[in-house]
Amino acid sequence: MPEYVERSYHEALVNALAHRDYLVNGSEVHIDIYDDRMEIYSPGGMPDGSLIQERDPLTVPSTRRNPILADVFNRLGYMERKGSGFGKIISGYEFQINYTESKKPSFRSDRYQFTVVMPNLNYDVTQDVTQDVTQDNLNIQIIELIRKDSTISTDKIATALGVSTRTIKRHIKEMDNVNYIGSGFSGHWEITDNE
């Protein structure tokens, strides 16, 4: 499942470039991506000075701050002439299978900036599953290394897998099918198959 809706972020980015305030020196449109959301920031607030968070974005009339640039984007096929940007961003999300009301895109503005916040559709769905898969993956890799070399040290396992020796020791301690027989350098690992 995609984390973000291509139609929505495309529309948000085109709007940010076409409607930004180019008179604000030293500023730029930028995209910030976090674990749970993507934010597209554009210099310059609403052209009429209102705050978008206090309005229904679907009823905001279209105002073009940069009509020539908007016309160029229209001719390139990136933008429509009528003001439907907010609707496209929101409806793009509403058609997704894993959409919930908490994943609805939001908008905020002040005198100096306009930001579109698009939630990651997969964020809280897979967090626990991903952690479990990673843990299981590491355990499988440890077992594979031990099967190749039963005398391998925990330091060498850690180096091969790119984690700390402490992490390897903790994982092995939690694995009831892996045992170290003997002591020191003269010992070896034994793996018992769990039935």
Side-chain angles (χ1 to χ4, degrees), residues 99-111:
Y99 172 79
T100 61
E101 198 61 31
S102 66
K103 301 286 186 182
K104 186 175 182 175
S106 61
F107 310 92
R108 65 176 185 260
S109 68
D110 57 31
R111 286 178 50 201

Side-chain angles (χ1 to χ4, degrees), residues 36 82 97 174 195:
D36 63 337
K82 60 187 172 103
I97 294 171
E174 294 169 359
E195 297 286 325

Side-chain angles (χ1 to χ4, degrees), residues 2-37:
E3 293 181 331
Y4 300 100
V5 182
E6 183 176 354
R7 178 184 182 206
S8 298
Y9 66 72
H10 179 270
E11 185 67 23
L13 185 56
V14 167
N15 283 341
L17 293 169
H19 299 305
R20 71 158 282 185
D21 186 349
Y22 283 93
L23 296 176
V24 179
N25 291 327
S27 62
E28 58 190 19
V29 170
H30 58 89
I31 302 171
D32 296 323
I33 300 177
Y34 304 94
D35 289 345
D36 63 337
R37 69 194 185 283

Side-chain angles (χ1 to χ4, degrees), residues 16-195:
L17 293 169
H19 299 305
R20 71 158 282 185
D21 186 349
Y22 283 93
L23 296 176
V24 179
N25 291 327
S27 62
E28 58 190 19
V29 170
H30 58 89
I31 302 171
D32 296 323
I33 300 177
Y34 304 94
D35 289 345
D36 63 337
R37 69 194 185 283
M38 175 193 300
E39 295 186 2
I40 298 181
Y41 164 88
S42 179
M46 296 285 286
D48 63 1
S50 65
L51 301 178
I52 188 66
Q53 57 270 28
E54 295 175 355
R55 300 176 71 179
D56 178 0
L58 299 177
T59 63
V60 173
S62 176
T63 307
R64 296 185 172 208
R65 180 179 274 133
N66 306 301
I68 295 171
L69 191 55
D71 185 54
V72 170
F73 278 134
N74 175 259
R75 290 171 190 253
L76 291 170
Y78 293 137
M79 184 180 225
E80 294 178 11
R81 288 192 182 272
K82 60 187 172 103
S84 58
F86 293 133
K88 277 186 183 175
I89 292 167
I90 293 169
S91 67
Y93 265 72
E94 290 174 340
F95 285 113
Q96 301 305 307
I97 294 171
N98 50 349
Y99 172 79
T100 61
E101 198 61 31
S102 66
K103 301 286 186 182
K104 186 175 182 175
S106 61
F107 310 92
R108 65 176 185 260
S109 68
D110 57 31
R111 286 178 50 201
Y112 309 105
Q113 58 87 30
F114 189 95
T115 304
V116 180
V117 180
M118 290 171 284
N120 179 338
L121 287 165
N122 297 334
Y123 179 65
D124 56 8
V125 177
T126 58
Q127 293 303 305
D128 296 332
V129 176
T130 305
Q131 182 125 3
D132 291 343
V133 168
T134 306
Q135 299 280 350
D136 290 345
N137 235 6
L138 192 57
N139 291 351
I140 291 166
Q141 291 174 319
I142 291 169
I143 288 173
E144 285 175 4
L145 287 171
I146 290 173
R147 284 202 168 121
K148 286 180 186 172
D149 179 6
S150 64
T151 61
I152 191 169
S153 69
T154 53
D155 289 337
K156 286 184 180 176
I157 294 172
T159 302
L161 300 180
V163 296
S164 69
T165 304
R166 233 170 107 191
T167 299
I168 296 300
K169 288 179 179 177
R170 189 179 72 248
H171 273 264
I172 289 174
K173 189 175 183 180
E174 294 169 359
M175 297 163 59
D176 55 1
N177 62 331
V178 177
N179 297 304
Y180 193 75
I181 308 300
S183 62
F185 296 109
S186 61
H188 66 279
W189 297 102
E190 279 190 2
I191 299 169
T192 55
D193 291 323
N194 288 338
E195 297 286 325

